[in-house]
């Protein structure tokens, strides 16, 4: 298990197949997945995990397991992924936590570390978060990161049109750095 980032309370590391049960606890929880409008099936959990493993191999990043330093507990997942936003590839920070870890600042802490990683380690100058407009907690995390809404767009998911806010944070262009 490759450690990617550490924060004062958390370790972010690549997920492995052994993390499936913890991942399913989030993805199969209807309340945790309300922004997706459904809890995932077992097959969808497997596909989600497969996508992360593919992202690690292809890009060197994806959504990572978030582990509490003190307890060793699997808190959730947070990381970076390439998302297609209205036919433009964007680097997105994303986060999903087990419900019992909500309201403890873990999403903010992990997402801030991922933001810094995107700008400093990857040399990116633009980072986005695609957040359902009705997902107030995730919107607050994006705002905490220093992001602001660039526009509202419609994401088509599971035969539904879902309005999303495109939160963006941009750094001034740096010589030799990528968007």
């Amino acid at each position: 298990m490759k450690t990617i980032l550490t924060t004062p309370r958390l370790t972010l590391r690549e997920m492995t197949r052994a993390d499936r049960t913890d991942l399913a606890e989030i993805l199969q929880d209807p309340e945790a997945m309300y922004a997706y409008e459904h809890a995932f099936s077992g097959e969808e959990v497997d596909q989600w995990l497969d996508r992360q493993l593919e992202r690690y191999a292809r890009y060197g990043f994806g959504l990572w397991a978030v582990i509490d330093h003190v307890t060793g507990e699997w808190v959730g997942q947070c990381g970076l992924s390439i998302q297609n936003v209205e036919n433009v590839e964007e680097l997105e920070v994303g986060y999903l936590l087990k419900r019992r870890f909500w309201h403890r600042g873990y999403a903010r802490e992990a997402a801030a570390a991922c933001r810094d990683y995107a700008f400093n380690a990857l040399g990116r100058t633009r980072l986005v978060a695609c957040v359902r407009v009705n997902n107030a907690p995730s919107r607050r995390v994006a705002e905490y990161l220093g992001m602001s809404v660039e526009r509202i767009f419609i994401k088509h998911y599971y035969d539904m049109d879902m309005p999303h806010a495109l939160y963006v944070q941009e750094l001034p262009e740096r010589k030799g750095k990528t968007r």
Side-chain angles (χ1 to χ4, degrees):
M1 294 179 278
K2 182 178 175 185
T3 296
I4 306 300
L5 298 167
T6 57
T7 71
R9 298 184 296 166
L10 305 169
T11 297
L12 280 70
R13 64 160 174 80
E14 289 185 351
M15 284 189 272
T16 68
R17 298 250 180 248
D19 294 311
R20 190 201 182 280
T21 300
D22 284 301
L23 181 61
E25 187 177 330
I26 299 169
L27 300 180
Q28 293 185 314
D29 178 344
E31 193 172 338
M33 296 300 289
Y34 73 94
Y36 288 80
E37 292 289 340
H38 79 291
F40 281 21
S41 68
E43 183 179 342
E44 288 170 312
V45 172
D46 292 336
Q47 291 169 354
W48 184 279
L49 181 56
D50 288 344
R51 270 195 307 280
Q52 302 323 309
L53 300 177
E54 289 166 11
R55 286 173 174 156
Y56 303 155
R58 182 173 180 186
Y59 301 111
F61 55 79
L63 294 176
W64 299 304
V66 177
I67 310 298
D68 182 293
H69 287 318
V70 175
T71 65
E73 287 185 275
W74 209 94
V75 172
Q77 58 180 338
C78 184
L80 302 169
S81 61
I82 302 295
Q83 295 294 326
N84 183 309
V85 179
E86 297 182 311
N87 299 315
V88 175
E89 284 194 348
E90 298 274 15
L91 182 64
E92 180 187 33
V93 61
Y95 32 87
L96 280 168
L97 303 182
K98 292 180 179 181
R99 265 191 298 138
R100 68 177 177 273
F101 296 108
W102 289 3
H103 311 296
R104 297 185 191 181
Y106 289 131
R108 286 179 172 192
E109 186 174 328
C114 291
R115 175 206 55 209
D116 295 347
Y117 183 84
F119 291 145
N120 300 323
L122 299 179
R124 302 301 284 258
T125 59
R126 178 178 166 95
L127 185 66
V128 306
C130 304
V131 183
R132 287 274 309 266
V133 294
N134 64 346
N135 188 343
S138 285
R139 292 185 75 156
R140 285 192 296 273
V141 172
E143 291 162 4
Y144 171 84
L145 295 177
M147 299 177 139
S148 56
V149 176
E150 183 177 271
R151 68 182 182 275
I152 304 298
F153 71 101
I154 302 298
K155 195 170 186 180
H156 191 73
Y157 186 73
Y158 273 81
D159 295 323
M160 292 178 272
D161 288 334
M162 299 181 182
H164 280 68
L166 182 67
Y167 279 88
V168 176
Q169 186 173 16
E170 290 187 288
L171 298 179
E173 291 292 326
R174 294 179 276 182
K175 192 169 194 163
K177 301 298 178 176
T178 60
R179 179 176 176 198

